[in-house]
Amino acid sequence: MIVIRCGSAPVPTVLAERPRIQVSEVPTKDEVNRALAEVGPGRRLVLCGTDAALAAVLTRLLRTENLDAEIAYVADEPTPATRAYGLPTGSEAAKLGIRGTSREVPLVRDETGTALVGEALVRGPEGDRLVGEAYADDTVVFSGETDTLTVRPTPELPGVRATAARPRRLRRRQWVAARAVQLGTEAGLLTRDGLTGRRAIKRTTFYRHTEPWRLVSP
């Protein structure tokens, strides 16, 4: 087991005596490689950081074929990822990271091989509405215009779900579960796990990878 502290993320007291490495707020591939080299028996990474940091670590595990390593996520406060996977935060998350057991959950990625752990949002550039169409497998999520397309991973199969912003008179959003969500648009601004891309996109796909990842869960 090794604790990965990302940037200035708080490290709960219960982890104070555990082996630790300091990395960037969003870990680089070399920093993740170093953590894997130092983790030792059990291959459990206890990550103190943000959804973006967790996604960076999982992306590196995916690309280096290390998905057998266990990941425990210690966020200081609730995030889209903690809500998606039903995880505690703070000291309770740290205790779970030490004593909990891991289970296989679907790994959601995009066409670039980048993992999604919490939430992806696609909006029109410069505050405009998003124009295009999105499908969750064979089901239309939206066609024409919408304010926002939201994509989230799920802890159970099929692995991903999506919704488009609805008129305010419809209070409950309609989610569509699928193995893959595909978007085609004139121009969209993608925010993935809290990080917004610098360029507009015309298409993207989020889908369940062929292999799961191992998350330390309640």
Side-chain angles (χ1 to χ4, degrees):
M1 175 186 294
I2 193 167
V3 176
I4 304 175
R5 186 191 187 202
C6 303
S8 58
V11 178
T13 304
V14 69
L15 297 174
E17 301 302 320
R18 300 285 173 168
R20 182 195 307 182
I21 64 171
Q22 178 73 44
V23 300
S24 308
E25 184 175 354
V26 178
T28 66
K29 64 180 183 180
D30 289 340
E31 289 172 336
V32 178
N33 290 344
R34 179 161 61 92
L36 287 171
E38 296 181 13
V39 66
R43 301 249 300 171
R44 176 169 294 191
L45 309 174
V46 181
L47 181 96
C48 298
T50 63
D51 286 2
L54 175 61
V57 170
L58 184 55
T59 295
R60 192 61 186 159
L61 297 186
L62 165 64
R63 294 179 179 178
T64 57
E65 299 183 353
N66 279 290
L67 290 175
D68 60 317
E70 300 175 345
I71 301 182
Y73 182 32
V74 181
D76 188 44
E77 57 187 23
T79 71
T82 63
R83 288 188 283 268
Y85 295 105
L87 300 175
T89 59
S91 60
E92 291 303 312
K95 294 174 184 176
L96 177 66
I98 294 173
R99 307 187 186 103
T101 57
S102 68
R103 65 184 179 104
E104 294 184 346
V105 294
L107 192 163
V108 176
R109 53 169 289 183
D110 67 6
E111 69 279 2
T112 69
T114 302
L116 177 70
V117 298
E119 181 176 79
L121 303 172
V122 188
R123 301 183 175 93
E126 300 180 358
D128 296 334
R129 288 172 65 80
L130 181 66
V131 179
E133 60 182 7
Y135 286 83
D137 290 345
D138 296 327
T139 302
V140 177
V141 180
F142 86 93
S143 181
E145 296 184 357
T146 189
D147 289 332
T148 308
L149 173 70
T150 303
V151 180
R152 295 175 182 168
T154 63
E156 308 295 343
L157 296 177
V160 65
R161 62 177 184 155
T163 188
R166 303 291 178 179
R168 292 183 179 180
R169 66 180 181 274
L170 298 179
R171 296 183 179 179
R172 297 186 64 183
R173 292 198 288 181
Q174 299 176 6
W175 289 91
V176 183
R179 182 187 178 277
V181 175
Q182 301 180 65
L183 168 69
T185 177
E186 295 179 354
L189 198 60
L190 172 62
T191 300
R192 177 173 37 209
D193 289 323
L195 300 179
T196 301
R198 290 177 289 182
R199 298 180 181 179
I201 61 170
K202 291 186 177 295
R203 61 185 61 85
T204 190
T205 302
F206 291 95
Y207 61 96
R208 186 181 79 239
H209 186 57
T210 53
E211 296 179 62
W213 61 293
R214 302 194 64 85
L215 174 66
V216 180
S217 306

